[in-house]
Amino acid sequence: NCSISFQVAVSYAGIEAQFNGTVLSDKFTVQNVIMNSTTGVTPPKNGIYTKGIGPTNFSSAQIKNNTIYALNVAIDLNYFNAAGVTSEISGNTIYLGNATATSYVEAIYFADYGGTVNVFNNKVLQIAAAGTASVMYGIATNYLALPSTTLNIYNNFITGFSCAAAYAGPLFGIYLGEASGAVRPAVNMSYNTVYVNQPGGVASGSVGAVGRLTTTNTQTITMKDNILINNNGTATSYAVYIPGTTATLVSDYNDLYVSGSGNVGYYNA
């Protein structure tokens, strides 16, 4: 329940928690915080950031009802959520990046986690990047550390993409990026609205409302009652992009739309 306004540039994070040992913290909670910067001041690289040496230095993370302005990652959670524990990322409003944002630009990112993670009722209203940025994602996950993990992503709204003409992708509203060799979560996505507007670049990169990294690991993805729109209009634009041959997709009652030479879907190829 506080407001943080940065009067000078912050080199890394607005709120940061780091663990260098193996002691398990009970809970990491950030709630009802407004984080922004005064006019002309570059926002912090990360809004809310956790880091440890893993796996799971925080037994759970509760990131709720915050308004965050950040440069590269608004919510960046690593090494959290022990097996059998539930974490929640909900009710947050995010404005991310600007024309100078390079490297990775991700509104909500989490990695090395277990248990059940619920991501819901978040609004991502701006994702902006320079031409030299490497990725642009609304919600992204990576490097799962624990088996028997469930990821529920529901009732989120993601839009507001913009980038320099030199940016070549990738760009995804929701991206499942666990690398080869990692355990992959069961994913349930429902009642999300993702609108990929014409961002100004990505002439050749893959652009999707929902995407998945190609890996050798099996995974079940259930998608129901989502509205997924990709208005980028290029041949490498998709509403749903799930490459490889290891994903089991359960899809029903979704509204999918692409413009121009875009593709409604790409699956298991």
Side-chain angles (χ1 to χ4, degrees), residues 71-181:
L71 186 63
N72 284 92
V73 187
I75 299 172
D76 187 351
L77 304 179
N78 302 271
Y79 303 108
F80 74 102
N81 217 47
V85 174
T86 299
S87 282
E88 180 178 320
I89 305 170
S90 68
N92 301 286
T93 301
I94 294 172
Y95 300 86
L96 184 69
N98 59 33
T100 68
T102 61
S103 187
Y104 49 86
V105 180
E106 303 163 312
I108 299 173
Y109 172 87
F110 44 97
D112 294 292
Y113 59 101
T116 299
V117 179
N118 297 320
V119 184
F120 62 97
N121 291 354
N122 299 287
K123 294 186 292 184
V124 180
L125 302 179
Q126 173 182 302
I127 306 176
T132 53
S134 56
V135 300
M136 296 177 67
Y137 300 145
I139 298 172
T141 175
N142 208 356
Y143 299 111
L144 180 66
L146 298 176
S148 302
T149 295
T150 300
L151 173 58
N152 300 311
I153 303 174
Y154 58 97
N155 203 36
N156 300 283
F157 180 75
I158 302 170
T159 191
F161 295 92
S162 64
C163 56
Y167 181 74
L171 183 156
F172 289 98
I174 300 172
Y175 186 70
L176 308 174
E178 282 79 20
S180 292

Side-chain angles (χ1 to χ4, degrees), residues 14-259:
I15 298 174
E16 180 174 347
Q18 291 207 29
F19 278 76
N20 295 318
T22 58
V23 177
L24 184 66
S25 173
D26 180 53
K27 184 183 294 185
F28 177 72
T29 300
V30 181
Q31 188 169 358
N32 298 327
V33 171
I34 299 173
M35 183 186 301
N36 59 22
S37 300
T38 57
T39 301
V41 176
T42 301
K45 180 179 179 180
N46 290 10
I48 300 169
Y49 174 69
T50 70
K51 184 64 183 277
I53 60 173
T56 64
N57 287 123
F58 304 95
S59 66
S60 75
Q62 307 293 317
I63 313 298
K64 306 177 185 179
N65 303 322
N66 304 289
T67 298
I68 303 170
Y69 293 77
L71 186 63
N72 284 92
V73 187
I75 299 172
D76 187 351
L77 304 179
N78 302 271
Y79 303 108
F80 74 102
N81 217 47
V85 174
T86 299
S87 282
E88 180 178 320
I89 305 170
S90 68
N92 301 286
T93 301
I94 294 172
Y95 300 86
L96 184 69
N98 59 33
T100 68
T102 61
S103 187
Y104 49 86
V105 180
E106 303 163 312
I108 299 173
Y109 172 87
F110 44 97
D112 294 292
Y113 59 101
T116 299
V117 179
N118 297 320
V119 184
F120 62 97
N121 291 354
N122 299 287
K123 294 186 292 184
V124 180
L125 302 179
Q126 173 182 302
I127 306 176
T132 53
S134 56
V135 300
M136 296 177 67
Y137 300 145
I139 298 172
T141 175
N142 208 356
Y143 299 111
L144 180 66
L146 298 176
S148 302
T149 295
T150 300
L151 173 58
N152 300 311
I153 303 174
Y154 58 97
N155 203 36
N156 300 283
F157 180 75
I158 302 170
T159 191
F161 295 92
S162 64
C163 56
Y167 181 74
L171 183 156
F172 289 98
I174 300 172
Y175 186 70
L176 308 174
E178 282 79 20
S180 292
V183 179
R184 301 178 70 89
V187 178
N188 302 300
M189 288 186 281
S190 60
Y191 300 104
N192 299 288
T193 297
V194 180
Y195 174 54
V196 179
N197 52 294
Q198 291 182 303
V202 291
S204 60
S206 297
V207 180
V210 171
R212 176 184 186 258
L213 178 69
T214 302
T215 79
T216 58
N217 305 81
T218 59
Q219 181 176 38
T220 299
I221 302 171
T222 302
M223 296 175 46
K224 295 184 178 181
D225 299 295
N226 300 283
I227 300 173
L228 306 176
I229 301 170
N230 191 333
N231 203 32
N232 190 53
T234 66
T236 54
S237 297
Y238 308 88
V240 180
Y241 181 75
I242 302 178
T245 58
T246 57
T248 299
L249 177 64
V250 180
S251 177
D252 209 351
Y253 300 106
N254 299 293
D255 293 330
L256 310 176
Y257 173 83
V258 293
S259 64

